[in-house]
Amino acid sequence: MEADIDRILIPRQRIAGRVRELAREIARTYEADAADGLTLVTILSGSIIFLADLIRNLPLRMKIGLITVSSYAGATTETRGAEVLQDLNVDVSGRHVLLVDDILDTGGTLRLVRARLAEYGPKSIRTCVLLRKPAKAPPDVPAEFVGFDVEDVFVVGYGLDYNDHYRNFPDIGVLREELYAS
Ligand code: XMP
């Protein structure tokens, strides 16, 4: 697996430190709202490791919701229009929702999910992403909490995949281009 990684972009210690900081920012924001109920909605599958680390640093009463969205078809790095594969599994009406995603790239995935969630009548929707590619992220898709802004390269590890591989790589790395360039 390591042989397929060109370089480490964000080592695991930096990720861990930033996740703790993000959790503090989020806890401060939702302190006053706690009584209304908070649901973290995570987008599968890329966010699983981020979510697991984030919530263990968040001393708030919360529920977890899951939604499955496909952005890529298999062995490709091109976003082809997001599609909901499995809808949200919890009721968020009247609750504060924090959407948790791995990366805000072209914004298609989060635009779709925010619109879907808005239909369910939550009290508020905010978004937390571990990574954002500022070169591409569109202005109509806000992210209130951002772990790291990264350059426009294809990254894997810490939950992020290429063709469902590399999710278990503990750092965030840049995949060797010859592995996906056609
Ligand atoms: P969009 O373009 O819709 O992308 O903002 C969001 C989803 O696409 C996946 N994605 C990536 N996955 N390395 C990955 O492993 C990347 O560089 C990358 N860019 C986008 C990811 O699942 C994200 O939720």
Side-chain angles (χ1 to χ4, degrees):
M1 188 165 62
E2 266 116 86
D4 296 347
I5 306 296
D6 183 45
R7 64 193 158 98
I8 303 291
L9 199 62
I10 313 175
R12 63 198 80 175
Q13 299 83 352
R14 258 188 87 204
I15 301 173
R18 186 66 188 120
V19 168
R20 282 195 294 271
E21 282 174 9
L22 273 178
R24 279 196 289 273
E25 289 173 33
I26 292 167
R28 272 198 300 274
T29 302
Y30 284 102
E31 249 163 15
D33 296 335
D36 299 325
L38 171 65
T39 302
L40 264 63
V41 171
T42 200
I43 305 177
L44 295 176
S45 303
S47 311
I48 48 174
I49 297 178
F50 178 39
L51 180 84
D53 284 346
L54 186 68
I55 59 174
R56 284 178 293 171
N57 283 282
L58 264 181
L60 297 172
R61 188 174 161 83
M62 69 175 76
K63 292 184 179 179
I64 304 290
L66 308 171
I67 187 165
T68 308
V69 176
S70 120
S71 312
Y72 301 121
T76 176
T77 59
E78 299 287 319
T79 309
R80 294 211 177 138
E83 188 191 348
V84 175
L85 297 182
Q86 202 153 31
D87 211 343
L88 186 61
N89 62 338
V90 294
D91 180 9
V92 293
S93 72
R95 295 179 63 85
H96 294 286
V97 168
L98 179 64
L99 251 176
V100 177
D101 201 9
D102 52 0
I103 184 166
L104 170 52
D105 191 327
T106 65
T109 303
L110 279 169
R111 188 182 290 114
L112 174 83
V113 174
R114 281 187 80 106
R116 177 65 65 98
L117 285 176
E119 290 172 17
Y120 299 143
K123 196 155 196 174
S124 69
I125 304 178
R126 293 187 181 92
T127 298
C128 173
V129 291
L130 179 66
L131 307 176
R132 175 174 63 185
K133 292 184 181 173
K136 285 159 111 184
D140 69 309
V141 183
E144 287 78 6
F145 306 98
V146 177
F148 301 93
D149 276 325
V150 294
E151 57 198 279
D152 187 14
V153 287
F154 197 77
V155 291
V156 295
Y158 196 72
L160 290 136
D161 74 304
Y162 173 67
N163 200 18
D164 256 334
H165 289 124
Y166 311 109
R167 292 195 199 278
N168 55 325
F169 189 68
D171 308 294
I172 293 172
V174 179
L175 192 63
R176 278 176 41 208
E177 207 171 325
E178 62 267 33
L179 294 175
Y180 62 85
S182 49

